[in-house]
Amino acid sequence: MYIHKGINRVHAFIEEGNDKEAMMLLRDIETNVMRYDFEIMGDGFNQFADLYVSLKKRKRALEMYQKAILYYREVGNSEKVETVSHKFERVLL
């Protein structure tokens, strides 16, 4: 529950243009995440990356996609790794 609420708050901060607060909260969430929350964190980073793409913040989007891929790999979700990897490549090119 803490992870979901935190991800929603980070998303809101990013939409408001308050990246500093968003990244501080995100670091806090990451330090408290447990292995069973990795899928949720991957979904969150994927969501943040999509938001950054829509805001035309390419560098930040690439960082978020990379983190999403790492979390998905940890839980062995190869389908989501492939999907996010394609998104990453589109932003990269």
Side-chain angles (χ1 to χ4, degrees), residues 44-85:
F45 278 112
N46 189 22
Q47 179 184 6
F48 305 148
D50 291 342
L51 181 58
Y52 278 124
V53 167
S54 71
L55 295 173
K56 309 259 190 272
K57 294 186 176 185
R58 184 174 174 255
K59 182 180 176 184
R60 190 67 84 171
L62 291 172
E63 291 173 20
M64 297 296 124
Y65 280 138
Q66 287 175 322
K67 287 192 176 207
I69 290 168
L70 290 173
Y71 278 108
Y72 289 142
R73 281 188 180 154
E74 283 294 318
V75 294
N77 192 333
S78 58
E79 184 178 303
K80 286 190 177 181
V81 169
E82 185 177 333
T83 302
V84 175
S85 294

Side-chain angles (χ1 to χ4, degrees), residues 3-91:
I3 301 296
H4 284 295
K5 286 182 180 179
I7 287 173
N8 290 336
R9 288 187 63 211
V10 170
H11 192 272
F13 282 137
I14 293 170
E15 282 183 326
E16 294 170 4
N18 194 347
D19 284 350
K20 184 178 178 181
E21 287 292 324
M23 292 305 110
M24 285 175 31
L25 179 57
L26 194 53
R27 283 187 207 105
D28 182 51
I29 294 170
E30 279 190 287
T31 59
N32 294 311
V33 72
M34 298 293 186
R35 178 130 174 95
Y36 55 83
D37 294 324
F38 280 9
E39 184 89 18
I40 297 167
M41 289 299 292
D43 292 342
F45 278 112
N46 189 22
Q47 179 184 6
F48 305 148
D50 291 342
L51 181 58
Y52 278 124
V53 167
S54 71
L55 295 173
K56 309 259 190 272
K57 294 186 176 185
R58 184 174 174 255
K59 182 180 176 184
R60 190 67 84 171
L62 291 172
E63 291 173 20
M64 297 296 124
Y65 280 138
Q66 287 175 322
K67 287 192 176 207
I69 290 168
L70 290 173
Y71 278 108
Y72 289 142
R73 281 188 180 154
E74 283 294 318
V75 294
N77 192 333
S78 58
E79 184 178 303
K80 286 190 177 181
V81 169
E82 185 177 333
T83 302
V84 175
S85 294
H86 288 301
K87 290 180 181 181
F88 179 83
E89 289 173 3
R90 275 185 274 156
V91 172

